[in-house]
Amino acid sequence: KNEVEQSPQNLTAQEGEFITINCSYSVGISALHWLQQHPGGGIVSLFMLSSGKKKHGRLIATINIQEKHSSLHITASHPRDSAVYICAVKETSGSRLTFGEGTQLTVNP
Amino acid sequence: NAGVTQTPKFQVLKTGQSMTLQCAQDMNHNSMYWYRQDPGMGLRLIYYSASEGTTDKGEVPNGYNVSRLNKREFSLRLESAAPSQTSVYFCASNGRGFYEQYFGPGTRLTVT
């Protein structure tokens, strides 16, 4: 069993829909990251959080440390949001990130 | 700032050939990382360097070597390429105390 599990693996939505991607982890962490990988391959960091909630434009990330769970929400989705979204955790001990397999999101016009 | 740069972007090797993937960052970051990304699997850490002069093995180090040439540059070498090393390779870096990682554009390597 992976230390970081994402669901769903694939998600198709219509433009304008509200989207939720989930991430569960099994280890103690000091931080959780959400990353976005576009079809061209580049990876960018969207959020880094250790508690609560963060918002950037139409993207919202939440984390529940007790339940070892995080969600990434996209409001009013748009075709340009189509990408792979990756959850990664930094364990309390150690300096490295452990990555989930990613969620492929496709938003159709 | 260019951020994290990688060369080459694409490479095709024959089994047994060697090559070096280059990575450089201009953000004065202490830590640098090499990952590989394969279909159906998350990014996996090959090697990392927590600071200039130090390197450590990650999850999948076999078949690779690294050099932290200076604070800016961190190279990954395949001494004798194998088809199992066909993958997309990403270099990343982050500053001291900051966990947010900045990624290079990736190198798509095919070993035939």
Side-chain angles (χ1 to χ4, degrees), chain A residues 4 6 23 25 29-36 43-50 61-63 70-72 85-91 95-100, chain B residues 33 35 93-94 98-103:
Chain A
V4 181
Q6 287 185 236
C23 175
Y25 52 92
I29 71 168
S30 54
L32 182 142
H33 299 249
W34 281 101
L35 308 165
Q36 181 191 56
I43 300 173
V44 295
S45 178
L46 296 174
F47 294 104
M48 183 180 67
L49 55 156
S50 54
T62 64
I63 187 167
S70 175
S71 293
L72 176 69
Y85 292 84
I86 302 169
C87 172
V89 301
K90 182 189 172 302
E91 294 183 34
S95 58
R96 300 174 283 175
L97 294 179
T98 302
F99 296 81
Chain B
Y33 308 82
Y35 298 98
S93 70
N94 64 263
F98 292 95
Y99 305 143
E100 181 177 355
Q101 290 195 359
Y102 294 83
F103 286 81

